[in-house]
């Protein structure tokens, strides 16, 4: 608690909705699955909630909690991270408007922007966003929206949010930060100059790999209204049950992220010490090109890392077979450790040329470190590294 007796946003998230049940005084908030709400009479004021695509009490509670955690004015909860990105682009980019996005952005985001550009809805340029010179050059022409994703997926490149926001604003563009990898525990991009923050809540926010969802948090009420309008018009808003589950997952985010990070530090050390590993990409390593910047703009280095095995694709296959504590699966940010092969899994939607340009080789593996006891992870990785070395 701060000196003025206010709870911190993370403490408020633990208790979100605790004072809302006036009927029974239930401690945790009720779930409102109803799709519709009664009107008092013809010509009388509309009820606060009328139809759940437009507004729902359970979704509104999750939205308020996430807006609070991201220090935003307003939030729209959507059915997925991709619908959060869709709502943002439709709301904030006009006809043929130009978007500048990272070449190594989330594979689904890359595909969406690429396909919208192919249909001439938008114009898009994919650049190395971690290189401020490239961003400056790209913004020598007008743009409407600049997207940053930091750390990036899967190479963990770090983008200077404050400096990129300044470049974007000088061109009249809005800066949108996909903060999925950091979660609000480690970073609040709105405080660094971003105009809008979005998340795939599927990842750390829900944190239990059992809900697909997204959120767009806006720095101003005006931007928030535009996003809400388009999310409703396009039918992208999230469901009540998913919102309720996501709120339950969210309550433990602070504790989860602390264990995720502790485990990740140990895993990074183990991988970096192995001869079977050619390179580890993790911003917590002093040799990582974005280390100092990440230390400055984040409150920790996160639970995602990628690494290149020395033995190529054969080593990748040997490493990934017969894992005990780690699953070979897409997604990230859940309580369980997940290993992904970006070239054939998460980033298979990119063209081979785009993958090569983004630096995603066939030897690259991405690890989302879970909250298992560290001894189990260490043993599983030791066996996997042995298999990779023999391959
Ligand atoms: C998963 C993810 C998305 C897409 O979210 P979905 O919930 O899968 O639609 C977008 N950005 C990042 C960084 C992600 O990890």
């Amino acid at each position: 608690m701060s000196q003025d007796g206010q709870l911190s946003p993370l403490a408020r998230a633990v208790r979100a909705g605790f004072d809302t049940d006036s009927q029974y005084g239930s401690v945790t908030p009720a779930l409102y699955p109803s799709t519709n709400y009664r009107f008092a009479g013809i010509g009388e004021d509309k009820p606060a909630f009328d139809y759940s695509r437009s507004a729902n009490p359970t979704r509104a509670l999750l939205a308020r909690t996430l807006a609070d955690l991201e220090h935003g004015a307003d939030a729209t909860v959507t059915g997925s991270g991709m619908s959060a990105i869709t709502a943002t682009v439709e709301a904030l980019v006009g006809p043929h408007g130009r978007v500048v996005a990272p070449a190594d952005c989330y594979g689904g985001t890359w595909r969406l922007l690429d396909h919208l550009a192919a249909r001439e809805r938008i114009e898009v340029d994919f650049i190395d966003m971690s290189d401020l010179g490239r961003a400056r050059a790209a913004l020598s022409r007008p743009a409407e929206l600049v997207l940053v994703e930091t750390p990036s997926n899967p190479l963990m490149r770090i983008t200077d949010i404050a400096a990129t926001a300044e470049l974007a604003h000088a061109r009249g563009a809005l800066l949108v930060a996909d903060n999925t990898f950091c979660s609000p525990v480690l970073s609040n991009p709105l405080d660094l100059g971003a105009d809008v923050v979005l998340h795939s809540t599927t990842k750390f926010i829900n944190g239990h790999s059992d809900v697909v969802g997204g959120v767009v948090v806006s720095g101003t009420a005006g931007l928030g209204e535009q996003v809400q309008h388009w999310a409703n018009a396009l039918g992208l808003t999230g469901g009540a049950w998913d919102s309720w589950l996501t709120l339950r997952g969210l309550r433990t985010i602070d504790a989860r992220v602390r264990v995720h990070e502790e485990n990740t530090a140990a895993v990074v050390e183990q991988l970096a010490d192995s001869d079977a590993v050619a390179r580890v990409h993790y911003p917590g390593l002093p040799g990582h090109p974005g280390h100092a910047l990440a230390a400055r703009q984040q409150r920790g280095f996160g639970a995602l890392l990628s690494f290149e095995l020395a033995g190529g694709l054969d080593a990748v296959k040997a490493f990934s077979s017969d894992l005990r504590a780690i699953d070979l699966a897409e997604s990230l940010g859940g309580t369980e450790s997940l290993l992904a092969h970006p070239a054939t899994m998460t980033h298979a939607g990119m063209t081979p040329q785009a993958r090569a340009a983004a630096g995603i080789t066939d030897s690259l593996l991405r690890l989302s470190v879970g909250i298992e006891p560290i001894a189990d992870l260490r043993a599983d990785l030791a066996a996997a590294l042995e298999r990779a070395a023999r391959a």
Side-chain angles (χ1 to χ4, degrees), residues 128-132 149-152 155-161 182 279-302:
D128 177 357
M129 199 62 82
S130 65
D131 181 342
L132 271 180
E149 230 184 271
T150 182
S152 74
L155 286 168
M156 312 302 296
R157 294 190 177 114
I158 305 294
T159 295
D160 188 330
I161 296 175
C182 275
R279 235 173 123 192
V280 180
H281 305 275
Y282 184 62
L285 287 169
H288 185 283
H291 176 69
L293 175 57
R296 196 165 72 232
Q297 75 178 11
Q298 298 174 202
R299 290 181 289 270
F301 299 109

Side-chain angles (χ1 to χ4, degrees), residues 80-82 85 106 109 149 178 180-181 200 202-203 212-213 332:
S80 67
M82 288 317 305
I85 294 164
Y106 178 74
T109 304
E149 230 184 271
D178 181 333
T180 301
F181 270 36
S200 164
T202 314
K203 317 296 168 53
V212 172
L332 56 104

Side-chain angles (χ1 to χ4, degrees), residues 37-40 45-52 54-57 60:
Y37 295 82
R38 261 183 222 110
F39 283 63
D45 282 349
K46 226 174 84 155
F49 297 97
D50 56 354
Y51 184 61
S52 275
S54 313
N56 170 279

Side-chain angles (χ1 to χ4, degrees), residues 276-277 307-322 328 339 341 343-344 361-365 383-391:
V277 175
F307 56 100
E308 281 158 61
L309 287 172
L313 198 54
D314 288 339
V316 161
K317 284 182 180 162
F319 185 96
S320 323
S321 65
D322 205 27
L328 182 65
L339 182 75
H341 183 234
T344 57
T361 68
D362 286 350
S363 309
L364 186 78
L365 285 166
L385 289 167
E386 280 264 343
R387 288 195 298 274
R390 279 198 313 268

Side-chain angles (χ1 to χ4, degrees), residues 26-119:
S26 68
V27 172
T28 63
L31 161 58
Y32 292 92
S34 184
T35 54
N36 41 14
Y37 295 82
R38 261 183 222 110
F39 283 63
I42 309 266
E44 301 204 24
D45 282 349
K46 226 174 84 155
F49 297 97
D50 56 354
Y51 184 61
S52 275
R53 173 167 34 75
S54 313
N56 170 279
T58 307
R59 190 172 70 233
L61 174 60
L62 175 63
R64 278 200 304 281
T65 308
L66 290 172
D68 187 32
L69 276 178
E70 279 291 14
H71 308 165
D74 204 349
T76 297
V77 168
T78 58
S80 67
M82 288 317 305
S83 51
I85 294 164
T86 302
T88 303
V89 170
E90 290 300 347
L92 306 181
V93 184
H96 312 291
R98 182 161 172 261
V99 174
V100 181
D104 58 352
C105 64
Y106 178 74
T109 304
W110 188 91
R111 180 177 54 195
L112 173 68
L113 297 175
D114 182 60
H115 290 194
L116 287 174
R119 294 189 153 189

Side-chain angles (χ1 to χ4, degrees), residues 103-104 155 157 343 347 350-362:
D104 58 352
L155 286 168
R157 294 190 177 114
H347 290 64
M350 291 170 83
T351 62
Q353 295 87 331
R355 267 202 304 277
I360 301 167
T361 68
D362 286 350

